[in-house]
Amino acid sequence: MNALYQRSQSAASSAVRIGALLSLASTSLFASDAAHAEAAHGLPTAAPKILEFVNNSMIVTWVVAALIIWGARKAMANAKEVPTGGQNFWEFLVEGLHNFLAEILGPKLVKHTFWFFATIFIFIVATNWFGLLPGVGTIGWSSHYDPASPHIFAHVERPLLRGGNADLNMTSAMSLTFFAWWIIWALRANGPVGLFKHIFAPKGKESGFMRVFMIAIFAMVGVLEVISILFRPVSLSFRLYGNVFAGETTLESMQQLVPALGWLIPIPFYFLELLVGMVQALVFMLLTSVFTLLICEQHEEHHDEKEGHAH
Amino acid sequence: MNILAELAGNFHIGFAALGAAIGVGLIGSKAAEATGRNPGAAGEIRNIAIILAALAEGIVFFAIYLA
């Protein structure tokens, strides 16, 4: 037993494990699962490449971004006092988001952070829903196609298009962008010293021995806080990727369940995915805005207090 | 040993999913209760519930990647 254990330890040395953790986007982590998935016609965890440096999720991302930019520009090309049609839709969307975020962030903070959260929400919703269109994930290169029974859906190994957020690179990029902006906003609101104090300094007004005690405790709490802050981009990207990828896999499995009924069985799950796509975009926007509020809000309250005392 | 590792991983994800499901269920039931008691705060309760549910289910994704 002991020898067996040691052998397995040496096979999966700690360096390999750390490497696997860091390269989550690659299939190496699911190497053993990939073999099973191949047999069960599941989806690969990493987006297949179409060209060198271009995978199918990236194509969807570009198409969606181009559609949003084109749609918004076309709708607002000749903006009117009383909006109609496309202009009406975009104004409703942006105004609704602004009111929603102003309620959470407060009127001050929303002014210079609104652009980010609104963009993130519109883009994630559009990408998630674009991934549900017929043809995404079902048109591509397949080795399972059987000319004798063309009406039976064949598993597609390299689809031309794949949901944009079903690629961990995309969600990581978004959450890391947020993390960079979060640091900038935190520094702008608190200053470097203020940010350090915000995380490590004790809150409360004890004195004497209790003061020393509280400083020690809050220093420890600060360390925990830093770890939780560092894990935020990881959990943000995993959450979005996990939900969208799981949805794609569910649809794929339902299509394979009864080959002759592949057109019928996934339909209820499409409605579930519509809901999930919306909720996950909302969750990403809400979490990022709440994280921003948590680090910036303290300062504004202090500011108000000082102003209150001065008056 | 391989089978054992695979089993442990499956249990790992299974228990994480069980815990997250219980957590999300509790959040949902309390959110519905809170909305019933104070319908005026429905919007705020919904926001809090969505954020907390997202945090609870985030654990499952960590479990999936770490198992």
Side-chain angles (χ1 to χ4, degrees):
Chain A
M1 190 63 201
N2 214 351
L4 255 176
Y5 177 69
Q6 273 171 356
R7 220 176 302 156
S8 72
Q9 275 292 86
S10 65
S13 69
S14 56
V16 171
R17 279 193 198 165
I18 291 166
L21 272 181
L22 289 178
S23 63
L24 283 163
S26 74
T27 44
S28 66
L29 193 63
F30 290 88
S32 65
D33 290 16
H36 290 291
E38 203 83 21
H41 304 317
L43 287 177
T45 46
K49 276 182 186 169
I50 297 298
L51 302 167
E52 193 77 19
F53 303 123
V54 178
N55 66 34
N56 44 17
S57 287
M58 286 164 72
I59 297 176
V60 167
T61 309
W62 293 337
V63 168
V64 169
L67 279 179
I68 291 175
I69 293 168
W70 173 77
R73 288 190 71 90
K74 188 171 182 292
M76 301 307 286
N78 36 21
K80 279 171 268 172
E81 193 97 350
V82 181
T84 50
Q87 189 195 350
N88 208 356
F89 168 74
W90 283 101
E91 284 192 1
F92 153 76
L93 186 62
V94 172
E95 202 177 329
L97 280 173
H98 191 274
N99 290 341
F100 184 71
L101 283 167
E103 225 172 80
I104 297 171
L105 291 169
K108 247 187 196 166
L109 198 57
V110 80
K111 261 183 210 159
H112 64 269
T113 58
F114 171 69
W115 62 273
F116 181 83
F117 300 125
T119 311
I120 280 283
F121 177 77
I122 294 172
F123 182 70
I124 295 178
V125 158
T127 327
N128 285 351
W129 285 356
F130 188 89
L132 298 177
L133 290 179
V136 178
T138 51
I139 298 176
W141 292 268
S142 170
S143 63
H144 293 274
Y145 180 67
D146 182 12
S149 51
H151 60 282
I152 287 180
F153 176 74
H155 174 64
V156 183
E157 281 104 5
R158 281 176 64 213
L160 183 62
L161 300 170
R162 169 177 159 129
N165 291 325
D167 181 7
L168 190 52
N169 297 311
M170 184 63 214
T171 58
S172 310
M174 280 194 290
S175 52
L176 287 176
T177 311
F178 163 70
F179 194 57
W181 275 103
W182 181 86
I183 292 172
I184 293 171
W185 290 328
L187 286 176
R188 197 186 284 173
N190 300 308
V193 181
L195 181 59
F196 185 80
K197 270 189 186 165
H198 193 287
I199 295 176
F200 289 103
K203 291 130 191 114
K205 294 178 177 66
E206 287 83 8
S207 54
F209 173 70
M210 274 309 278
R211 182 81 188 157
V212 179
F213 192 60
M214 291 312 268
I215 285 174
I217 284 186
F218 272 94
M220 295 297 179
V221 170
V223 174
L224 284 182
E225 181 81 6
V226 167
I227 294 172
S228 98
I229 286 170
L230 289 179
F231 254 96
R232 278 171 190 176
V234 181
S235 73
L236 272 176
S237 56
F238 278 9
R239 182 175 300 114
L240 185 55
Y241 166 74
N243 271 293
V244 175
F245 175 71
E248 300 251 315
T249 313
T250 309
L251 292 178
E252 181 83 10
S253 310
M254 289 304 132
Q255 227 158 16
Q256 307 282 328
L257 201 59
V258 182
L261 286 178
W263 53 275
L264 178 68
I265 298 175
I267 289 175
F269 294 92
Y270 269 99
F271 287 99
L272 177 71
E273 286 315 303
L274 275 177
L275 190 68
V276 167
M278 174 82 182
V279 167
Q280 285 311 311
L282 198 64
V283 161
F284 201 100
M285 183 184 75
L286 274 177
L287 280 177
T288 49
S289 56
V290 167
F291 290 155
T292 310
L293 177 69
L294 283 180
I295 200 72
C296 296
E297 148 194 74
Q298 201 77 19
H299 174 72
E300 281 181 5
E301 271 175 16
H302 273 291
H303 207 69
D304 290 346
E305 257 179 31
K306 270 184 208 157
E307 276 176 0
H309 284 303
H311 283 299
Chain B
M1 205 64 202
N2 252 340
I3 295 169
L4 198 64
E6 203 158 298
L7 264 182
N10 288 344
F11 276 117
H12 184 168
I13 297 173
F15 283 125
L18 185 69
I22 292 172
V24 174
L26 282 176
I27 291 165
S29 82
K30 286 291 172 188
E33 212 170 90
T35 313
R37 278 170 193 242
N38 187 359
E44 240 162 83
I45 293 168
R46 193 189 315 119
N47 287 351
I48 296 170
I50 288 178
I51 291 172
L52 292 179
L55 290 177
E57 75 175 4
I59 300 296
V60 184
F61 296 110
F62 278 119
I64 290 174
Y65 293 110
L66 296 179

